[in-house]
Amino acid sequence: MRPADLTRRKQAGLPITVLTAWDALSAAVVAGAGVDAVLVGDSLAMAVLGHATTLPVTLEEMLHHCRAAGRGLAAAAPNGSPLLICDLPFLTYQCGLEEALAAAGRVLKETPAVAVKLEGAEPETLAVIDRMVRSGIPVMGHLGLTPQSVHQLGYRRQAGDPVSQERLRRRALALQEAGCFALVLEHIPAELATELSLRLAIPVIGIGAGDGCDGQVRVTADLLGLTSRQPPFSPPLVDGRAIAGEALGRWVREQRAPAAPPAAPPTRPASPAAPHC
Ligand code: KIV
């Protein structure tokens, strides 16, 4: 898969599916499910590394996890992997054009990812995206609830009033103009996400943004019920914690169970034909 394949899916009216992965194991599982794209999201900071927000995860950690996810995809789907996208973590693309380009360049040079994702559409961010795209780096945008701005926005639903909805419309169009190949819209009103999916030429991938988007993205740990902080807009498909806890608990109990008495050795019936030595 290439970024342009997502656009082709949108043009053909085919829904786009994206799931996150954080290592070889999870990447192989989501590739086996048949997704179009795999995102090594900075949500791994919270879902996997135990941080309270996405802010502490480093570029080195993202590269490490993205390489592992890439190995899992190669093993699971050697003849055509889903598109692998890697999040640029907080403060790797907000401190100047050169640093941002270098961070995105490391993702493409040192991992099998073919695209990066970053949050927001401030003028500086648009300049960074333009520079990356002109350097051959595909960029996915992300608006609405942007977890890297948690200390300004919280984890609340965004664009609830007409003024902020108009602002989000302008920012979405600006991201497309800057060259993003796709846009994630997180936790915004469904009507606005549907409107933008129809208005934009690039695919709009929603999470907590209703069913009218060109595609959907989910954090795999959320879908599997493995996370301790379940977002209200992304309910689990299964209670993975309970299922895994029950299975592993059963194994522990089995190991601790008193040993069964040794079975009596099988008795062989005497054969009249047996030779006497
Ligand atoms: O980091 C992440 O997993 C994400 C998804 C929620 C889109 O950005």
Side-chain angles (χ1 to χ4, degrees):
M1 284 289 265
R2 299 270 149 219
D5 293 319
L6 296 191
T7 312
R8 277 191 273 279
R9 284 190 74 81
K10 171 171 178 142
Q11 287 164 350
L14 299 170
I16 297 164
T17 51
V18 186
L19 284 173
T20 66
W22 53 87
D23 59 12
L25 177 66
S26 55
V29 170
V30 300
V35 284
D36 301 303
V38 173
L39 171 69
V40 179
D42 62 356
S43 58
L44 79 84
M46 299 169 76
V48 178
L49 302 181
H51 293 296
T53 69
T54 61
L55 305 190
V57 72
T58 65
L59 181 60
E60 293 303 330
E61 287 169 330
M62 293 301 295
L63 295 172
H64 174 77
H65 283 266
C66 194
R67 282 191 287 263
R71 287 190 289 271
L73 291 187
N79 299 322
S81 293
L83 181 72
L84 183 61
I85 306 162
C86 184
D87 258 344
L88 286 178
F90 181 57
L91 286 196
T92 58
Y93 57 93
Q94 295 94 335
C95 299
L97 279 180
E98 298 311 319
E99 197 179 320
L101 189 62
R106 285 196 67 192
V107 171
L108 264 65
K109 283 163 80 88
E110 298 178 30
T111 81
V114 301
V116 297
K117 178 167 81 58
L118 49 78
E119 298 181 4
E122 300 311 318
E124 301 79 8
T125 312
L126 294 172
V128 155
I129 293 169
D130 175 66
R131 181 74 189 273
M132 288 176 184
V133 172
R134 285 191 298 110
S135 305
I137 302 173
V139 180
M140 178 181 248
H142 185 159
L143 292 176
L145 195 174
T146 44
Q148 291 180 12
S149 308
V150 59
H151 298 309
Q152 286 173 326
L153 305 177
Y155 291 122
R156 285 186 302 279
R157 193 173 83 136
Q158 299 297 307
D161 62 87
V163 172
S164 48
Q165 287 176 2
E166 190 47 35
R167 183 162 171 264
L168 194 135
R169 278 187 196 95
R170 280 200 309 272
R171 286 157 61 98
L173 288 165
L175 286 176
Q176 172 170 273
E177 187 65 24
C180 283
F181 72 88
L183 173 63
V184 168
L185 290 179
E186 181 166 354
H187 207 17
I188 65 164
E191 308 72 44
L192 181 58
T194 305
E195 176 199 319
L196 285 169
S197 303
L198 295 170
R199 201 161 154 191
L200 294 181
I202 59 174
V204 172
I205 317 289
I207 171 167
D211 298 331
C213 299
D214 302 307
Q216 296 290 330
V217 55
R218 293 292 183 275
V219 175
T220 298
D222 291 344
L223 276 193
L224 294 180
L226 294 174
T227 174
S228 54
R229 283 167 289 215
Q230 192 78 37
F233 53 86
S234 181
L237 297 173
V238 289
D239 189 349
R241 280 193 163 220
I243 294 168
E246 200 281 319
L248 297 176
R250 190 166 0 105
W251 181 83
V252 170
R253 285 191 299 280
E254 280 168 10
Q255 305 315 304
R256 291 180 180 160
T267 52
R268 193 186 298 178
S271 161
H276 295 282
C277 302

